[in-house]
Amino acid sequence: MSGYDVSGLSREVPSVPSPLELAPDSKDELDPELLALPDPPRRERTLTVLVLGFAAALSLAMVFALRRDVAYALATRTPAGVGELRTASGETLAANENRLVRADGMLGAAGGIRYERPFLDDTFRTLAVAGREDVWVDVRVAAGQESGRWEPPRAFTGRLVRFGGAGPRHRGLATAIERTTGSTVPPGAWLLVDGEDPESARWTTLLAAMFLGFAAWNAVAIARIVRKVS
């Protein structure tokens, strides 16, 4: 067998470039396609943040406006006695503000207002306590009992509030009384809503919770929009 001298041959092994050698040089020019991309829509993003912020603020304002109604809905259902409304002192009324109370009194026939509500056959009357101009009672008249012989009740059980702190169904009632009858409702006057117990106001808690959840959702959406992407 013949032999061959391979001692003089050099074996070349191809070199594999390292990852550092494959990495682009930081001094290289940017990709023209990347430069051609449009700038981020900052104006649209700012407008979206403003709209979401306004919606969140409006929702929180509604929660704040319903705070007294929610407090009444969660209050005790045991009525507090305030006695005769004609002689009840301002301190007694103030101590039972936004609470379920039981009271007695004669209502004046003059200077009151009669109104209706949608989807209800019953009517409502708001009358001042005889001998007082700063205490009014809102009573519900069952359908069929509204006639010239109707007499207001003399015993009441319901929510005692000031006109300015009345619930959504009685907002603007003082203005309606003054516009319709010409009677003046003194500032800080009291309104006893006969028949309105805390259980009937439970719907305000659901409404306030809905607005609170909507405000939280908008706050989270704003945080996601303004968050910087790492």
Side-chain angles (χ1 to χ4, degrees), residues 59-125:
S59 300
L60 292 177
M62 291 299 301
V63 174
F64 182 79
L66 292 170
R67 71 191 187 284
R68 295 176 57 83
D69 304 286
V70 173
Y72 180 71
L74 301 178
T76 178
R77 288 182 286 182
T78 302
V82 298
E84 176 66 36
L85 290 175
R86 183 174 182 179
T87 58
S89 63
E91 291 76 10
T92 301
L93 298 177
N96 294 281
E97 183 178 0
N98 202 36
R99 293 184 57 187
L100 181 66
V101 300
R102 180 186 294 112
D104 303 310
M106 180 180 295
L107 304 182
I113 185 176
R114 174 185 176 276
Y115 65 95
E116 300 177 354
R117 289 177 182 166
F119 312 112
L120 291 177
D121 295 331
D122 299 344
T123 58
F124 300 85
R125 289 196 181 190

Coordinates of all heavy atoms in Angstrom, one line a residue, residues 59-125:
S59 N -69.2 60.9 36.7 CA -69.6 59.7 37.5 C -69.4 59.9 39.0 O -70.3 59.6 39.8 CB -68.9 58.4 37.0 OG -69.2 58.2 35.7
L60 N -68.3 60.4 39.4 CA -68.0 60.7 40.8 C -68.9 61.8 41.3 O -69.3 61.8 42.5 CB -66.5 61.1 41.0 CG -65.5 60.0 40.7 CD1 -64.1 60.6 40.9 CD2 -65.7 58.9 41.7
A61 N -69.2 62.8 40.5 CA -70.2 63.8 40.9 C -71.6 63.2 41.2 O -72.2 63.6 42.1 CB -70.3 64.9 39.8
M62 N -72.0 62.3 40.4 CA -73.3 61.6 40.6 C -73.2 60.8 41.9 O -74.2 60.8 42.7 CB -73.6 60.7 39.4 CG -73.9 61.5 38.1 SD -75.4 62.6 38.3 CE -76.6 61.4 38.8
V63 N -72.1 60.2 42.2 CA -72.0 59.4 43.4 C -72.1 60.4 44.6 O -72.7 60.1 45.6 CB -70.7 58.6 43.5 CG1 -70.4 58.0 44.8 CG2 -70.7 57.6 42.4
F64 N -71.4 61.5 44.5 CA -71.5 62.5 45.6 C -72.9 63.1 45.7 O -73.3 63.3 46.9 CB -70.5 63.7 45.2 CG -70.4 64.7 46.3 CD1 -69.7 64.5 47.4 CD2 -71.1 65.9 46.1 CE1 -69.6 65.5 48.4 CE2 -71.1 66.9 47.1 CZ -70.3 66.7 48.3
A65 N -73.6 63.2 44.7 CA -75.0 63.8 44.8 C -75.9 62.7 45.4 O -76.9 63.1 46.0 CB -75.5 64.1 43.4
L66 N -75.6 61.5 45.3 CA -76.5 60.4 45.8 C -76.0 60.0 47.2 O -76.6 59.0 47.8 CB -76.5 59.2 44.9 CG -77.1 59.4 43.5 CD1 -76.8 58.2 42.6 CD2 -78.6 59.6 43.7
R67 N -75.0 60.6 47.8 CA -74.5 60.2 49.1 C -75.5 60.1 50.2 O -75.6 59.2 51.0 CB -73.3 61.0 49.4 CG -73.6 62.4 49.9 CD -72.4 63.3 50.0 NE -72.7 64.6 50.5 CZ -73.3 65.6 49.9 NH1 -73.6 65.4 48.6 NH2 -73.5 66.8 50.5
R68 N -76.4 61.2 50.2 CA -77.4 61.3 51.3 C -78.5 60.2 51.1 O -79.0 59.7 52.0 CB -78.0 62.7 51.3 CG -77.0 63.8 51.7 CD -77.6 65.1 51.6 NE -78.8 65.2 52.5 CZ -78.7 65.5 53.8 NH1 -77.6 65.7 54.4 NH2 -79.9 65.5 54.5
D69 N -78.8 60.0 49.8 CA -79.8 59.0 49.5 C -79.3 57.6 49.9 O -80.1 56.7 50.4 CB -80.2 59.0 48.1 CG -80.7 60.4 47.7 OD1 -81.8 60.8 48.0 OD2 -80.0 61.1 47.0
V70 N -78.0 57.3 49.6 CA -77.5 56.0 50.0 C -77.4 55.9 51.5 O -77.7 54.8 52.0 CB -76.1 55.9 49.4 CG1 -75.4 54.6 49.9 CG2 -76.1 55.9 47.8
A71 N -77.1 57.0 52.2 CA -77.0 56.9 53.7 C -78.4 56.6 54.2 O -78.5 55.9 55.2 CB -76.5 58.2 54.2
Y72 N -79.4 57.2 53.6 CA -80.8 56.9 54.1 C -81.2 55.5 53.8 O -81.9 54.9 54.6 CB -81.8 57.9 53.5 CG -83.2 57.7 53.9 CD1 -83.6 58.0 55.2 CD2 -84.1 57.2 53.1 CE1 -84.9 57.8 55.7 CE2 -85.5 56.9 53.5 CZ -85.8 57.3 54.8 OH -87.1 57.1 55.2
A73 N -80.8 55.0 52.7 CA -81.2 53.6 52.3 C -80.5 52.6 53.3 O -81.1 51.5 53.5 CB -80.7 53.3 50.9
L74 N -79.4 53.0 53.8 CA -78.7 52.1 54.8 C -79.0 52.4 56.2 O -78.5 51.7 57.1 CB -77.2 52.2 54.5 CG -76.7 51.8 53.1 CD1 -75.2 52.0 53.0 CD2 -77.1 50.4 52.7
A75 N -79.9 53.3 56.5 CA -80.2 53.7 57.8 C -81.2 52.7 58.5 O -81.8 51.8 57.8 CB -80.8 55.1 57.9
T76 N -81.4 52.9 59.7 CA -82.4 52.0 60.5 C -83.8 52.2 60.0 O -84.2 53.3 59.6 CB -82.3 52.2 62.0 OG1 -83.2 51.4 62.6 CG2 -82.6 53.7 62.3
R77 N -84.6 51.1 60.0 CA -86.0 51.2 59.6 C -86.9 51.4 60.8 O -88.1 51.4 60.6 CB -86.4 49.9 58.9 CG -85.8 49.9 57.5 CD -86.2 48.6 56.8 NE -85.5 47.4 57.3 CZ -85.7 46.2 56.8 NH1 -86.6 46.0 55.8 NH2 -85.1 45.2 57.3
T78 N -86.4 51.7 62.0 CA -87.2 52.1 63.1 C -87.4 53.6 63.2 O -86.4 54.3 63.3 CB -86.5 51.6 64.4 OG1 -86.2 50.2 64.3 CG2 -87.3 51.9 65.6
P79 N -88.6 54.1 63.0 CA -88.8 55.5 63.0 C -88.6 56.2 64.3 O -88.9 55.6 65.4 CB -90.3 55.6 62.5 CG -90.9 54.4 63.0 CD -89.9 53.3 62.9
A80 N -88.1 57.4 64.2 CA -87.8 58.2 65.4 C -89.0 59.2 65.6 O -89.5 59.7 64.6 CB -86.5 59.0 65.3
G81 N -89.5 59.3 66.8 CA -90.7 60.2 67.0 C -90.2 61.7 67.2 O -89.3 62.0 67.9
V82 N -90.9 62.5 66.4 CA -90.6 64.0 66.6 C -91.8 64.7 67.1 O -91.7 65.9 67.3 CB -90.2 64.6 65.2 CG1 -88.9 63.9 64.7 CG2 -91.3 64.4 64.2
G83 N -92.9 64.0 67.3 CA -94.1 64.7 67.9 C -94.9 65.5 67.0 O -94.9 65.3 65.8
E84 N -95.5 66.6 67.5 CA -96.3 67.5 66.7 C -95.4 68.4 65.9 O -94.5 69.1 66.4 CB -97.2 68.4 67.6 CG -98.0 69.4 67.0 CD -99.1 68.8 66.1 OE1 -99.6 67.8 66.5 OE2 -99.4 69.4 65.0
L85 N -95.7 68.4 64.6 CA -94.8 69.2 63.7 C -95.0 70.7 63.9 O -94.0 71.4 63.6 CB -95.2 68.8 62.2 CG -94.7 67.4 61.7 CD1 -95.3 67.1 60.3 CD2 -93.2 67.2 61.8
R86 N -96.1 71.1 64.3 CA -96.3 72.5 64.5 C -95.5 73.1 65.6 O -95.0 74.2 65.5 CB -97.8 72.8 64.7 CG -98.1 74.3 64.9 CD -99.6 74.5 65.0 NE -100.0 75.9 65.1 CZ -101.2 76.4 65.2 NH1 -102.2 75.6 65.2 NH2 -101.4 77.7 65.2
T87 N -95.2 72.3 66.6 CA -94.5 72.8 67.8 C -93.1 72.1 67.8 O -92.3 72.4 68.8 CB -95.2 72.4 69.0 OG1 -95.4 71.0 69.1 CG2 -96.5 73.2 69.1
A88 N -92.7 71.3 66.9 CA -91.4 70.7 66.9 C -90.3 71.7 66.8 O -90.4 72.6 65.9 CB -91.3 69.6 65.8
S89 N -89.3 71.7 67.6 CA -88.2 72.7 67.5 C -87.3 72.4 66.4 O -87.2 71.3 65.9 CB -87.4 72.7 68.9 OG -86.8 71.4 69.1
G90 N -86.5 73.4 66.0 CA -85.5 73.2 65.0 C -84.4 72.2 65.4 O -83.9 71.5 64.5
E91 N -84.1 72.2 66.7 CA -83.1 71.2 67.1 C -83.6 69.8 67.0 O -82.8 68.9 66.6 CB -82.7 71.5 68.6 CG -82.0 72.8 68.8 CD -82.9 74.1 68.8 OE1 -84.1 73.9 68.7 OE2 -82.3 75.2 68.7
T92 N -84.9 69.6 67.3 CA -85.4 68.2 67.1 C -85.4 67.8 65.7 O -85.1 66.6 65.4 CB -86.8 68.2 67.7 OG1 -86.8 68.6 69.1 CG2 -87.4 66.8 67.6
L93 N -85.8 68.7 64.8 CA -85.8 68.3 63.4 C -84.4 68.1 62.9 O -84.2 67.2 62.1 CB -86.5 69.5 62.6 CG -88.0 69.7 62.9 CD1 -88.5 70.9 62.1 CD2 -88.8 68.5 62.7
A94 N -83.5 68.9 63.3 CA -82.1 68.8 62.8 C -81.5 67.5 63.3 O -80.6 66.9 62.6 CB -81.2 70.0 63.3
A95 N -81.9 67.1 64.5 CA -81.3 65.8 65.1 C -81.8 64.6 64.3 O -81.2 63.5 64.4 CB -81.7 65.7 66.6
N96 N -82.9 64.7 63.6 CA -83.5 63.6 62.9 C -83.4 63.8 61.4 O -84.2 63.2 60.7 CB -84.9 63.3 63.3 CG -85.0 62.9 64.8 OD1 -84.8 61.7 65.1 ND2 -85.3 63.8 65.7
E97 N -82.5 64.6 60.9 CA -82.4 64.9 59.5 C -82.0 63.7 58.8 O -81.1 62.9 59.2 CB -81.4 66.1 59.2 CG -81.3 66.4 57.8 CD -80.4 67.6 57.6 OE1 -79.8 68.1 58.6 OE2 -80.2 68.0 56.4
N98 N -82.6 63.4 57.6 CA -82.3 62.3 56.7 C -82.5 60.9 57.5 O -81.7 60.0 57.3 CB -80.8 62.4 56.2 CG -80.6 61.6 54.9 OD1 -81.5 61.5 54.1 ND2 -79.5 61.0 54.8
R99 N -83.5 60.9 58.3 CA -83.9 59.7 59.0 C -85.4 59.4 58.8 O -86.1 60.3 58.4 CB -83.6 59.8 60.5 CG -82.1 59.9 60.8 CD -81.9 60.0 62.3 NE -82.5 58.8 63.0 CZ -82.6 58.6 64.3 NH1 -82.1 59.6 65.1 NH2 -83.1 57.5 64.8
L100 N -85.7 58.2 59.1 CA -87.1 57.8 59.1 C -87.8 58.3 60.4 O -87.3 57.9 61.5 CB -87.3 56.3 59.0 CG -88.7 55.7 59.0 CD1 -89.4 56.1 57.7 CD2 -88.7 54.2 59.1
V101 N -88.8 59.1 60.3 CA -89.5 59.7 61.5 C -91.0 59.4 61.5 O -91.5 59.1 60.5 CB -89.2 61.2 61.6 CG1 -87.7 61.5 61.6 CG2 -89.8 61.9 60.4
R102 N -91.5 59.6 62.7 CA -93.0 59.5 62.8 C -93.4 60.8 63.5 O -92.9 61.2 64.5 CB -93.4 58.3 63.7 CG -94.9 58.2 63.9 CD -95.3 57.1 64.9 NE -95.0 55.8 64.3 CZ -94.0 55.0 64.8 NH1 -93.3 55.4 65.9 NH2 -93.8 53.8 64.3
A103 N -94.4 61.4 62.9 CA -94.9 62.8 63.4 C -96.4 62.9 63.1 O -97.0 62.2 62.4 CB -94.1 63.9 62.6
D104 N -96.9 63.9 63.8 CA -98.3 64.3 63.7 C -98.4 65.7 63.3 O -97.5 66.5 63.6 CB -99.1 64.0 65.0 CG -99.0 62.6 65.4 OD1 -99.2 61.7 64.6 OD2 -98.6 62.3 66.6
G105 N -99.5 66.1 62.7 CA -99.7 67.5 62.4 C -100.9 67.7 61.4 O -101.3 66.8 60.8
M106 N -101.4 69.0 61.4 CA -102.4 69.4 60.5 C -101.8 70.1 59.3 O -101.0 71.1 59.6 CB -103.5 70.2 61.2 CG -104.6 70.7 60.4 SD -105.8 71.7 61.3 CE -106.4 70.5 62.4
L107 N -102.2 69.8 58.1 CA -101.7 70.4 57.0 C -102.6 71.5 56.5 O -103.8 71.3 56.5 CB -101.4 69.4 55.8 CG -100.5 68.2 56.2 CD1 -100.3 67.3 55.0 CD2 -99.2 68.7 56.7
G108 N -102.1 72.6 56.0 CA -102.9 73.7 55.5 C -103.3 73.4 54.1 O -102.5 72.8 53.3
A109 N -104.5 73.8 53.7 CA -105.0 73.5 52.4 C -104.5 74.5 51.4 O -104.5 74.2 50.2 CB -106.6 73.5 52.4
A110 N -104.2 75.7 51.8 CA -103.7 76.7 50.9 C -102.2 76.7 50.7 O -101.5 76.3 51.6 CB -104.1 78.1 51.4
G111 N -101.8 77.1 49.5 CA -100.4 77.2 49.2 C -99.7 75.9 48.9 O -98.5 75.9 48.7
G112 N -100.4 74.8 48.7 CA -99.8 73.5 48.4 C -99.8 73.3 46.9 O -100.2 74.1 46.1
I113 N -99.2 72.2 46.5 CA -99.1 71.8 45.1 C -99.5 70.4 44.9 O -99.3 69.5 45.8 CB -97.6 72.1 44.6 CG1 -97.5 71.8 43.1 CG2 -96.7 71.1 45.4 CD1 -96.1 72.1 42.6
R114 N -100.1 70.2 43.8 CA -100.5 68.8 43.4 C -99.8 68.4 42.1 O -99.7 69.2 41.2 CB -102.0 68.7 43.1 CG -102.5 67.4 42.6 CD -104.0 67.5 42.2 NE -104.5 66.3 41.6 CZ -104.4 66.0 40.3 NH1 -103.8 66.8 39.5 NH2 -104.9 64.8 39.9
Y115 N -99.2 67.2 42.1 CA -98.4 66.9 40.9 C -98.6 65.4 40.7 O -99.0 64.6 41.5 CB -97.0 67.3 41.0 CG -96.2 66.6 42.1 CD1 -95.5 65.4 41.9 CD2 -96.2 67.0 43.4 CE1 -94.8 64.8 42.9 CE2 -95.6 66.4 44.4 CZ -94.8 65.3 44.2 OH -94.1 64.6 45.2
E116 N -98.2 64.9 39.5 CA -98.2 63.5 39.1 C -96.8 63.0 38.7 O -96.0 63.8 38.4 CB -99.2 63.3 38.0 CG -100.6 63.7 38.3 CD -101.6 63.5 37.1 OE1 -101.1 63.2 36.0 OE2 -102.8 63.7 37.3
R117 N -96.7 61.7 38.6 CA -95.4 61.1 38.2 C -95.7 60.1 37.1 O -96.8 59.5 37.0 CB -94.7 60.4 39.4 CG -94.2 61.3 40.4 CD -93.6 60.5 41.5 NE -93.0 61.4 42.6 CZ -92.7 61.0 43.8 NH1 -92.8 59.7 44.1 NH2 -92.2 61.8 44.7
P118 N -94.8 60.0 36.2 CA -95.0 59.1 35.1 C -95.2 57.6 35.5 O -94.6 57.2 36.5 CB -93.7 59.2 34.2 CG -93.1 60.5 34.6 CD -93.5 60.7 36.0
F119 N -96.0 56.9 34.8 CA -96.2 55.5 35.1 C -96.9 55.2 36.4 O -96.9 54.0 36.8 CB -94.9 54.7 35.0 CG -94.1 55.0 33.8 CD1 -92.9 55.7 34.0 CD2 -94.5 54.7 32.5 CE1 -92.1 56.0 32.9 CE2 -93.7 55.0 31.4 CZ -92.5 55.7 31.6
L120 N -97.5 56.2 37.0 CA -98.2 56.0 38.3 C -99.6 56.6 38.2 O -99.8 57.7 37.7 CB -97.5 56.6 39.5 CG -96.1 56.0 39.9 CD1 -95.5 56.8 41.0 CD2 -96.4 54.6 40.3
D121 N -100.6 55.9 38.7 CA -102.0 56.4 38.7 C -102.2 57.3 39.9 O -103.1 58.1 39.9 CB -103.0 55.2 38.7 CG -102.9 54.4 37.4 OD1 -102.5 55.0 36.4 OD2 -103.2 53.2 37.4
D122 N -101.4 57.1 41.0 CA -101.6 57.9 42.2 C -101.1 59.3 41.9 O -100.3 59.6 41.0 CB -100.8 57.3 43.4 CG -101.3 55.9 43.7 OD1 -102.4 55.5 43.3 OD2 -100.6 55.2 44.4
T123 N -101.6 60.2 42.7 CA -101.1 61.6 42.6 C -100.4 62.0 44.0 O -100.5 61.2 44.9 CB -102.3 62.6 42.4 OG1 -103.3 62.4 43.4 CG2 -103.0 62.3 41.0
F124 N -99.8 63.1 44.0 CA -99.0 63.6 45.1 C -99.4 65.0 45.4 O -99.6 65.8 44.5 CB -97.5 63.4 44.9 CG -97.1 62.0 44.6 CD1 -97.2 61.5 43.3 CD2 -96.6 61.2 45.6 CE1 -96.8 60.2 43.0 CE2 -96.3 59.9 45.3 CZ -96.4 59.4 44.0
R125 N -99.4 65.3 46.7 CA -99.6 66.7 47.2 C -98.5 67.1 48.2 O -98.2 66.3 49.1 CB -101.0 66.9 47.8 CG -102.1 66.8 46.8 CD -103.4 67.3 47.4 NE -104.5 67.2 46.5 CZ -105.7 67.8 46.7 NH1 -105.9 68.5 47.8 NH2 -106.7 67.7 45.8

